[in-house]
Amino acid sequence: MEFDFTKLEMDGRYRLLTNFIGPRPIALVTTRSATGHSNAAPMSFFNVFSHEPPIVVLGIQPRLSGEDKDTMVNIRRTGEFVVNMVDMALSQQMLVCGLGFDSDVDELEMAGLPTAKGAQLDVEYVTSAPCAFECRVERLIEYPRRVLVLGEVVHMHVRRDCLDEAGRYVNPEVYQPIARLHADNYITSDRQFVLKAPAMADVLKANQSGE
């Protein structure tokens, strides 16, 4: 089947993109409201795009009315946010944070998630999360139905058991983030395997010999 995205309606583009591009990591994004309480919302339009500078990107759509969601309102005002990564232990609390609470409700409190103040930002992070990235807005790229938020990571909190003994590499037996596939379908990374590329010389030899 062929789909012309220049003619396809918005819902169709969303369905195809999110059904086939995945799994997508989940960012439980925390921000500070104007009244001083925390706001939290899960997002699967998220990934890391650079290490120098260290940049993560969120794709945030507005409400159906066209108004900014609470997360975007807070990001515009403060220029700060935290990305908390989600594993199975946080999956249900993540879903609670995604419910449509009023703007004056602290989703972290509703979900019963323990928090602490950021090291460099005035934003709470989830202490039970495997890791959390404190981010300052590097720039906003505006579209009519989506804002791309480029955030520069200025600090990272990592739960000690998620790293190896040297504190250098991730411990795959502990750090097993979940990711979204499509609709309400998710996947976990508890079945990991190693893939190593063949030597180029072996590939060239096989092609030359016609194997």
Side-chain angles (χ1 to χ4, degrees), residues 34-54:
T35 58
H37 71 262
S38 292
N39 172 267
M43 301 179 187
S44 63
F45 277 50
F46 154 72
N47 219 309
V48 57
F49 284 83
S50 173
H51 72 286
E52 185 56 41

Side-chain angles (χ1 to χ4, degrees), residues 176-192:
Q176 297 175 351
I178 64 172
R180 191 175 182 186
L181 291 171
H182 57 276
D184 292 332
N185 294 283
Y186 293 79
I187 191 170
T188 184
S189 52
D190 57 355
R191 179 181 174 269
Q192 301 183 29

Side-chain angles (χ1 to χ4, degrees), residues 12-79:
R13 294 196 302 268
Y14 175 87
R15 184 180 65 255
L16 288 166
L17 288 170
T18 59
N19 275 226
F20 286 94
I21 298 178
R24 301 185 308 282
I26 301 167
L28 181 58
V29 180
T30 50
T31 54
R32 178 74 71 187
S33 76
T35 58
H37 71 262
S38 292
N39 172 267
M43 301 179 187
S44 63
F45 277 50
F46 154 72
N47 219 309
V48 57
F49 284 83
S50 173
H51 72 286
E52 185 56 41
I55 298 292
V56 298
V57 179
L58 306 172
I60 305 179
Q61 65 180 353
R63 303 182 192 277
L64 293 176
S65 64
E67 296 178 327
D68 280 339
K69 293 180 178 178
D70 295 338
T71 296
M72 196 65 239
V73 169
N74 296 337
I75 285 176
R76 289 187 190 279
R77 190 186 71 259
T78 68

Side-chain angles (χ1 to χ4, degrees), residues 130-160:
C131 61
F133 304 90
E134 297 186 24
C135 305
R136 287 197 179 96
V137 173
E138 197 278 333
R139 72 186 66 183
L140 301 177
I141 303 176
E142 308 267 0
Y143 294 95
R145 292 292 303 170
R146 184 74 59 169
V147 180
L148 300 186
V149 180
L150 279 68
E152 181 176 0
V153 179
V154 297
H155 197 91
M156 183 178 180
H157 305 270
V158 184
R159 233 177 45 216
R160 185 63 186 89

Side-chain angles (χ1 to χ4, degrees), residues 28 30 38-40 97 106-115 124 126:
L28 181 58
T30 50
S38 292
N39 172 267
C97 291
D106 185 328
E107 287 90 351
L108 295 173
E109 185 177 304
M110 295 297 294
L113 287 169
T115 64
E124 300 280 318
V126 178

